[in-house]
Amino acid sequence: MPYQAKVTVMFRKSILDPQGAAVERALKAHSEGIDISSVRVGKVIELMVDGPGPDIVEEKVKVLADRILANPVMEEYTVQVESLS
Amino acid sequence: MPYQAKVTVMFRKSILDPQGAAVERALKAHSEGIDISSVRVGKVIELMVDGPGPDIVEEKVKVLADRILANPVMEEYTVQVESLS
């Protein structure tokens, strides 16, 4: 059965995110009428997965996220799985 | 009023994503029992926004995404706004 999985990888809150700080400065210079803070930049990996069921797909994608897509020492990740059938 | 906005920026489907292709090869080597395809890697920018209302915040964040966070020629983006109050 086909699924779409989305893995979002962000630095842990305790880790300084210099790219986010740089983006924040750029955004603040162009944001009239709203106040922007706490900008953080992360990665998103979208993949199509063919597997036997949503629970197994989610479990296996979490293993891949933990081993390959994220560095669990510095980063945290979330996994979303959506059925396409 | 405080909001959390999330901007997801991906290459357009018609643009080759070499980083996604490289990640796909790495994932395939570690995925037993599931079949992985169409891997694409993008950016996610999370920000806290203080503004007068969700519609105005979403509209202003879309302008920022279009001008600063994404390159609309090669990339497409989605904006999600969530109230924190």
Side-chain angles (χ1 to χ4, degrees), chain B residues 15-37:
Chain B
I15 305 275
L16 193 71
D17 178 2
Q19 193 183 0
V23 170
E24 184 168 326
R25 281 197 300 278
L27 292 180
K28 275 176 181 289
H30 292 79
S31 61
E32 280 152 34
I34 55 174
D35 185 49
I36 287 172
S37 60

Side-chain angles (χ1 to χ4, degrees), chain A residues 6 8-10 13 19 23 26-27 30-52 56-57 60-61 64-65 67-69 78, chain B residues 6 8-10 13 19 23 26-27 30-52 56-57 60-61 64-65 67-69 78:
Chain A
K6 190 183 281 195
T8 307
V9 180
M10 306 291 291
K13 293 265 182 292
Q19 192 183 1
V23 170
L27 292 179
H30 293 79
S31 61
E32 279 151 34
I34 55 173
D35 186 48
I36 287 172
S37 60
S38 306
V39 179
R40 298 184 78 81
V41 178
K43 289 175 290 189
V44 56
I45 299 103
E46 285 184 3
L47 48 156
M48 308 294 284
V49 186
D50 203 54
I56 294 175
V57 166
K60 290 198 178 265
V61 172
L64 292 172
R67 283 201 204 155
I68 298 175
L69 300 174
T78 56
Chain B
K6 191 184 277 193
T8 307
V9 180
M10 306 291 291
K13 294 266 182 291
Q19 193 183 0
V23 170
L27 292 180
H30 292 79
S31 61
E32 280 152 34
I34 55 174
D35 185 49
I36 287 172
S37 60
S38 306
V39 179
R40 296 184 78 82
V41 178
K43 288 177 289 188
V44 56
I45 299 104
E46 285 184 2
L47 48 155
M48 308 294 284
V49 186
D50 202 55
I56 293 175
V57 166
K60 288 196 179 268
V61 172
L64 292 172
R67 281 201 206 156
I68 299 176
L69 299 175
T78 56

